[in-house]
Amino acid sequence: LERFYARQLRVSPHVLGHSKAHVGRVVAELVRAAKAQGLQPGPLALSLRGDFVRIGSAYEQHKVRSPDCFDILVPLRLPPHLEPLPGCAEGLGPHGAFVCGLRARGGWPRRYRPFSEGFCVELQGRCHLSSALVLRWFQGHLQRCLGAVRYRLQERCRISLSACPGRPPVLHIVPCSDYVCCHISMAVRLIPAIPIGDALYLTALPPEGPLPAPAPEALWGLNASRQEQRLLSWLKEQAPASSCHLKCLQILKGLRDLRGQGLEEPFSSQWSRVLSSYVLKTALFSLLMQGPLEAWDERFLVERLEDLVLYLRDCLRKQVLMHFFLGNSSLPEAVALPRFLKEATPVNLLAAFDGLMLDLTAFQLINTWIQAPHIIRMYSSPRYLRPMPTP
């Protein structure tokens, strides 16, 4: 396991630092240009707030393999006097989906009609912000701003933007050879986000299959990345200096990816969906809260990794792994949660999968752990390794 981690999973802090700095500079230029151009159409349109939020494994110290994929939230600003009203979308879509209603101070005057026609859908007789329409506008807006930014950055890098319907646009950055020492091409997923206060955001749900119309237009997901980062900072302060909890997460992600190389479709795709990085991270959070943090010292790496595998297996068998922040009243007081999260309905992250799929995943997970040395030797050879998909 140590050799597997050192040779295949560990990311060089030097390369990661350079990559994050380079991504930050390029995204800042693009967001600045997009904010300036967004002010031109007038006050009754969406615009960029002007900042961006770094999220995901690259900024939480559990990135694996290569620092070539990044996630960035780009907060949007609603027109003046319009406020978002997030609410649970019970019965309208997947468990844990939200809708974003809108409230106009002083009612909905006629002058807001262009905005509602361009960005809203009607749901249950009320006006709701459409995630699909917002995403489509965001993609086009960034594409229009790319030319000016590309010219300013031509000495540093070459940049391009790609977009798939229903998914956030991906910014591709290819550094110029004489600008940075780490010549890594990077893909940055730019995720439009609606701020709802207390460092919480609504983001478009990824397309997972057909849903009853018109629900897909109005559905959003809740992003609590800032709360996750606060929890990780608290754990870093409380756990031993040589704690292995993030290393356990990295190794488990690596074993999941290797095992996936040897599985056939359609189970291979379902395996990666059930054991998503978010599910693995949630299981780690839940396990960390159950026992003394001193037990996560580096010398107990194998024991803690086995505990994590067994805990996850039990969750799969019971078909229950609750969202760590929604409706969780047992968090440490040092990790202050917004009222919206405390009062939210708890969400089971495994509710979308049928029992047979979860049982099969649990069996393969235990099998992967038992045969970890063999799987590492077999699927780490060059003929099995294939490039991981860009975000």
Side-chain angles (χ1 to χ4, degrees), residues 27 30 48 70-74 76 131-132 134-144 146 160-172 186-193 204 390-391:
V27 172
L30 184 58
L48 272 64
F70 298 85
D71 285 340
I72 301 285
L73 286 184
V74 183
L76 305 181
S131 59
V134 169
L135 187 57
R136 196 178 309 155
W137 168 85
F138 182 74
Q139 292 171 345
H141 187 57
L142 289 189
Q143 196 71 54
R144 288 189 295 271
L146 200 63
S160 60
L161 200 67
S162 64
C164 296
R167 298 189 182 276
V170 177
L171 179 69
H172 300 276
M186 291 163 281
V188 186
R189 187 168 55 166
L190 300 172
I191 307 169
T390 56

Side-chain angles (χ1 to χ4, degrees), residues 94 165-167 204-211 216 269-270 272-274 276 352-353:
R167 298 189 182 276
L205 285 170
E208 295 290 357
L211 291 171
S269 298
Q270 290 296 316
S272 299
R273 280 189 60 211
V274 174
S276 67
F353 304 99

Side-chain angles (χ1 to χ4, degrees), residues 290-310:
Q290 291 184 8
L293 293 177
E294 291 74 18
W296 289 85
D297 189 270
E298 175 80 25
R299 64 183 186 274
F300 304 124
L301 171 68
V302 176
E303 291 88 340
R304 297 293 78 79
L305 188 52
E306 184 169 282
D307 287 346
L308 181 55
V309 170
L310 294 177

